[in-house]
């Protein structure tokens, strides 16, 4: 089984059907659409699905709020849970709805006065230099979650 555009289309349709705020993983989503997620995982196709689904969902104006990996047992592509948010502003916290969120900056940015001011104002949050495909993009200043 290969990753096809029609599979991604079906997954995005399923995302549309599910209520706003649903917590799910790509793996569960694939099974919900009647596909064999286990088989797909064996062939290493889940990472591709995650990547393509992310882009397709964004085009459909659906935000996937990925959780940060804390459990290594979940550290497989497709197993990481996310929250479905529809038509939400990109900078809105999917957990509490707050717009008081900071952009997470990865890598080793040169700290200057401008950046320091942004960090102090809660507009930017430093995420460190380790980057994976599930790294959250924003940090909520109100509830402290990353998404
Ligand atoms: Zn929040």
């Amino acid at each position: 089984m290969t990753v096809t555009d029609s599979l991604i289309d079906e997954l995005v349709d399923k995302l549309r059907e599910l209520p706003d705020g649903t917590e799910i993983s790509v793996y569960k989503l694939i099974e919900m659409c009647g596909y064999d997620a286990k088989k797909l995982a064996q062939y290493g196709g889940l990472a591709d699905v995650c990547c393509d689904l992310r882009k397709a969902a964004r085009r459909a104006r659906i935000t996937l709020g990925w959780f940060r990996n804390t459990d290594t047992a979940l550290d497989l592509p497709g197993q990481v849970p996310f929250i479905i948010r529809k038509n939400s502003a990109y900078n809105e916290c999917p957990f509490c709805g707050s717009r008081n969120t900071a952009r997470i900056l990865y890598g080793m940015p040169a700290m200057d006065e401008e950046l320091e001011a942004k960090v102090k104002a809660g507009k930017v949050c430093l995420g460190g230099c380790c980057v994976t495909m599930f790294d959250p993009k924003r940090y909520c200043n109100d509830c402290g979650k990353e998404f």
Side-chain angles (χ1 to χ4, degrees):
M1 181 175 163
T2 53
V3 179
T4 61
D5 288 345
S6 68
L7 168 67
I8 300 297
D9 286 347
E10 277 189 61
L11 296 181
V12 172
D13 276 350
K14 191 52 106 181
L15 287 176
R16 284 200 187 95
E17 277 170 35
L18 292 166
D20 201 28
T22 302
E23 185 186 324
I24 196 168
S25 66
V26 171
Y27 196 94
K28 278 188 219 152
L29 192 67
I30 290 168
E31 296 211 308
M32 245 182 212
C33 289
Y35 290 97
D36 191 345
K38 203 172 170 185
K39 209 168 176 181
L40 194 59
Q42 278 167 0
Y43 290 106
L46 278 182
D48 289 344
V49 174
C50 289
C51 190
D52 289 351
L53 182 65
R54 224 186 158 118
K55 287 183 219 152
R58 189 169 296 166
R59 280 196 296 274
R61 299 198 36 83
I62 299 169
T63 306
L64 309 183
W66 302 89
F67 287 74
R68 186 184 273 288
N69 264 345
T70 44
D71 188 346
T72 47
L74 288 174
D75 199 13
L76 291 163
Q79 301 278 29
V80 181
F82 60 85
I83 281 193
I84 301 168
R85 279 292 172 201
K86 294 168 192 175
N87 298 317
S88 63
Y90 174 65
N91 57 1
E92 194 173 283
C93 173
F95 301 95
C96 70
S98 168
R99 294 201 172 200
N100 180 15
T101 60
R103 182 165 54 92
I104 300 176
L105 207 60
Y106 290 98
M108 288 292 182
M111 189 54 103
D112 55 20
E113 272 174 38
E114 197 192 340
L115 182 57
E116 208 178 318
K118 279 182 184 167
V119 172
K120 278 196 183 132
K123 299 268 185 240
V124 169
C125 167
L126 300 179
C129 58
C130 302
V131 181
T132 72
M133 68 181 289
F134 299 113
D135 278 330
K137 298 281 182 286
R138 298 194 73 87
Y139 170 80
C140 176
N141 289 315
D142 285 332
C143 71
K145 289 199 171 81
E146 293 166 332
F147 55 95

